[in-house]
Amino acid sequence: MAEEVEGVQVLVDALVKQGVEYMFGIVGIPVVEVAVVAQQAGIKYVGMRNEQAACYAAQAIGYLTGRPGVCLVVSGPGLLHVIGGLANAQVNCWPLIVIGGSSDVDQEGMGAFQECPQVESCRLYCKYTARPPTIATIPYHVAKAVKCATYGRPGAAYLDFPGNILSGKIDKSLVQDPPKCPPPPVTLAPSEAVTEAVTLLSNAQRPLVVVGKGAAYGRAEKEVNEFLEKTGLPFLPTPMGKGVVPDDHIQCVSAARSKALLEADVVLLLGARLNWILHFGRPPRYAPDVKFIHVDICPEEFHNSLNASVALLGDIKAVTGQLASAVSGCLIQRSSPWWRSLNGKSKANRQINEAMANDTGEPLNYYAVLSTVNMMTPKNAIIVSEGANTMDIGRTMLLNAFPRHRLDAGTFGTMGVGLGFAIAAALWARDHAPGKKVICVEGDSAFGFSGMEMETMYRYGLPIIVVIVNNNGIYNGLDNETFNDVREGMDSTIATPPTSLLPCVHYERIATAFDDVGYFCKSIVDLRAAYMQALSNKDRPALINVMINPMAQRKAQDFDWLTRSKL
């Protein structure tokens, strides 16, 4: 007798063979059995409270491990809820596989339960989308999804599974069995291009290195550190490039970011793109004659905003090693005019930040709160952050010493990612770096997108410290008195400012729903006591709600943070 196997078992066996370790999702018809069988096969399944948060968690685990996490969702609205997450993973270049259940094939076009053109809906936001036509071909498509999600520029893949494919059976001998997808091949840049890049850097008067998220994902920290220390070049990290080289490194000029970008004559981009985060490489944020040396795994990325002087195509780790080997020694002395200028600006800006951090009067400001969190946070903690000013100021005030230890809204600027990212980071830490703390610093608006994921944290015993920096609004809010005054006698939908949330919300009381105690802080003394207590938690999360001045802002900037066209 032929041995029969169900489609769901074929799918799970293929995921296991391809090295999938984590699955996040919300189950329902027709994917409940997928989660159950996955657990039986040893895949760690985390049930979330919102499909978007599940998708954010799955892509964050992909970034942290280099192997795609899986997001499992139901058909129709369940799948549509993850499209924002798919887009975020694709733009952020993080490996992700979404597995969606769908209505039975023989009911297609008849108005089946939650019938939806799911493959077509996901195609815009994925590197690969497919509905395996038979049970026998499921392993092939799983292997291809892993390959597409990890090879070249990482990104998202979607696999669609009708209910009757998952529940159907097939002779086991007919199932295709491709091998495990090997790691992406390592490619080197042409030696002549490397020589050209080194010559350009050697002749520069005001060189600068930008270390991007690609260097973090590519595990290039050793090579980047060796290159920078050998050459003596100043560097800036992008937000998630922080920690590839420690933020407190003597060559880090983050405190003089605007000046460094504006006055550099040669900029080396290590795994960074000339998109909005780096102001497209154009004036007024850069000198008109600045030259760029661009290292990237994706050839289509070159010459997007402007032509690079040297394009180095290849694996970031390998190419940075090539550059380090080709350099004879130090390229710029610390006594040079360029270094003196950067150091002077850095010192002036740090003094401004320190003055604001030292202002601990009530109501508090961002700098005082974030400085306190930074001082009390273990150096090797993973920091997750989102929100407008909370995240932006946090990039300056919350320091990272290790790569892949900062997760935030990223290239797509997505709000609502924080708690999903933190859950993924805490699971990774539990399994790969026991004892490592995960700190999730949220604006009050950002927390509102996925606040119910606190229940997920409690359910799985994840000791994440969630700090809400609460200014009663989006960008800025109102205090209680002003909030009531502007609405008195008015229709609340007309009188409530669009940026305002309800003042002084006690978000920390969410913890009481889980038989725990949250922390409400209005002073630095309160915050220190709460944070110290939270750090002692080993098997449950902590929720700290810190009230700040609703009108608190960041320090004055030389340029608007978002480079805009003026039409």
Side-chain angles (χ1 to χ4, degrees):
M1 294 289 292
E3 181 182 357
E4 289 192 325
V5 61
E6 284 193 339
V8 64
Q9 188 67 56
V10 173
L11 170 59
V12 170
D13 288 346
L15 292 172
V16 170
K17 185 169 187 177
Q18 294 303 325
V20 170
E21 187 178 0
Y22 298 94
M23 181 182 289
F24 304 83
I26 298 179
V27 296
I29 297 171
V31 298
V32 177
E33 290 79 7
V34 175
V36 173
V37 175
Q39 286 182 314
Q40 293 170 347
I43 294 176
K44 302 173 177 95
Y45 176 80
V46 178
M48 306 284 283
R49 300 302 301 267
N50 178 280
E51 288 94 350
Q52 275 195 2
C55 197
Y56 297 142
Q59 63 195 255
I61 209 74
Y63 173 66
L64 293 169
T65 64
R67 204 74 179 173
V70 167
C71 177
L72 178 69
V73 295
V74 300
S75 52
L79 182 279
L80 293 177
H81 287 169
V82 305
I83 285 182
L86 279 169
N88 189 72
Q90 185 73 349
V91 174
N92 236 16
C93 307
W94 286 2
L96 164 72
I97 296 175
V98 171
I99 291 175
S102 59
S103 49
D104 291 3
V105 173
D106 59 355
Q107 297 174 355
E108 197 165 283
M110 299 169 61
F113 175 65
Q114 295 184 334
E115 183 177 357
C116 177
Q118 297 178 184
V119 176
E120 295 88 340
S121 297
C122 293
R123 187 165 285 127
L124 281 174
Y125 310 101
C126 292
K127 291 182 69 180
Y128 181 69
T129 57
R131 172 189 282 185
T134 65
I135 295 173
T137 60
I138 288 174
Y140 167 81
H141 288 284
V142 170
K144 188 166 184 180
V146 170
K147 182 186 73 174
C148 290
T150 55
Y151 277 42
R153 172 176 289 171
Y158 173 66
L159 296 177
D160 191 75
F161 290 94
N164 58 337
I165 290 286
L166 291 173
S167 62
K169 294 183 178 181
I170 190 175
D171 183 336
K172 191 172 183 178
S173 66
L174 299 177
V175 176
Q176 298 179 8
D177 190 26
K180 181 179 180 180
C181 180
V186 175
T187 53
L188 295 170
S191 58
E192 59 272 20
V194 173
T195 300
E196 187 179 357
V198 169
T199 300
L200 193 58
L201 283 170
S202 300
N203 293 330
Q205 298 298 307
R206 298 177 303 281
L208 179 68
V209 178
V210 176
V211 180
K213 178 174 68 228
Y217 178 80
R219 274 63 178 169
E221 50 268 21
K222 178 177 178 289
E223 289 75 13
V224 172
N225 275 269
E226 289 176 353
F227 173 76
L228 287 170
E229 290 176 4
K230 185 175 182 180
T231 60
L233 295 173
F235 78 92
L236 289 171
T238 64
M240 276 189 278
K242 283 164 60 69
V244 172
V245 184
D247 285 340
D248 60 1
H249 193 283
I250 192 172
Q251 290 167 237
C252 182
V253 293
S254 290
R257 183 179 189 273
S258 291
K259 183 180 185 67
L261 295 178
L262 178 62
E263 297 183 12
D265 60 355
V266 175
V267 178
L268 170 61
L269 302 171
L270 295 177
R273 293 173 279 175
L274 287 178
N275 53 26
W276 68 273
I277 292 177
L278 288 178
H279 317 289
F280 314 108
R282 297 180 176 184
R285 300 304 300 267
Y286 294 80
D289 57 350
V290 64
K291 295 179 173 61
F292 287 95
I293 302 166
H294 196 171
V295 181
D296 206 283
I297 193 68
C298 177
E300 290 83 0
E301 187 58 42
F302 297 132
H303 318 306
N304 265 350
S305 177
L306 46 79
N307 280 1
S309 296
V310 183
L312 298 174
L313 176 65
D315 175 83
I316 185 67
K317 184 174 183 177
V319 174
T320 306
Q322 286 180 281
L323 288 168
S325 297
V327 171
S328 59
C330 183
L331 298 182
I332 187 168
Q333 298 298 322
R334 297 279 301 171
S335 58
S336 69
W338 179 227
W339 261 117
R340 289 201 304 270
S341 176
L342 291 174
N343 287 335
K345 185 64 172 177
S346 295
K347 182 179 179 180
N349 283 342
R350 278 195 293 265
Q351 287 174 342
I352 295 172
N353 290 343
E354 288 170 6
M356 298 177 77
N358 290 333
D359 177 8
T360 58
E362 300 172 27
L364 296 169
N365 67 70
Y366 287 102
Y367 292 82
V369 170
L370 295 172
S371 175
T372 300
V373 170
N374 181 65
M375 286 188 292
M376 299 186 70
T377 296
K379 193 171 184 179
N380 69 341
I382 297 176
I383 297 172
V384 180
S385 184
E386 63 171 333
N389 288 331
T390 298
M391 180 179 65
D392 203 20
I393 300 170
R395 288 169 175 167
T396 299
M397 303 302 294
L398 300 175
L399 303 184
N400 291 98
F402 298 94
R404 299 170 296 281
H405 278 53
R406 179 182 173 87
L407 308 175
D408 68 19
T411 311
F412 210 36
T414 306
M415 291 295 110
V417 298
L419 274 65
F421 282 3
I423 287 168
L427 286 167
W428 177 86
R430 184 198 68 180
D431 296 341
H432 301 280
K436 185 181 291 291
K437 289 293 184 181
V438 176
I439 316 299
C440 184
V441 184
E442 299 272 302
D444 51 328
S445 172
F447 178 77
F449 281 86
S450 53
M452 274 311 296
E453 298 302 339
M454 290 298 304
E455 187 273 335
T456 309
M457 296 180 190
Y458 275 98
R459 189 174 1 126
Y460 291 99
L462 302 175
I464 300 164
I465 300 175
V466 179
V467 179
I468 302 173
V469 183
N470 189 348
N471 71 341
N472 301 338
I474 305 168
Y475 301 113
N476 57 268
L478 301 172
D479 59 33
N480 260 315
E481 184 177 353
T482 307
F483 183 81
N484 291 327
D485 285 348
V486 299
R487 294 165 24 120
E488 186 175 1
M490 297 282 290
D491 182 329
S492 62
T493 62
I494 299 297
T496 305
T499 62
S500 180
L501 300 174
L502 189 68
C504 205
V505 173
H506 282 267
Y507 296 106
E508 79 286 349
R509 292 180 182 170
I510 292 174
T512 64
F514 312 111
D515 294 326
D516 201 1
V517 177
Y519 305 92
F520 183 72
C521 306
K522 299 179 74 173
S523 71
I524 293 301
V525 172
D526 293 342
L527 175 57
R528 285 176 179 152
Y531 204 75
M532 184 65 70
Q533 183 63 41
L535 285 169
S536 68
N537 290 352
K538 299 189 184 303
D539 59 359
R540 69 181 190 279
L543 183 55
I544 303 173
N545 182 19
V546 187
M547 300 304 305
I548 67 168
N549 187 336
M551 303 307 293
Q553 298 292 330
R554 64 175 303 178
K555 73 177 181 66
Q557 301 295 294
D558 295 330
F559 296 94
D560 182 22
W561 67 273
L562 181 60
T563 303
R564 297 181 180 278
S565 301
K566 301 211 171 22
L567 300 178

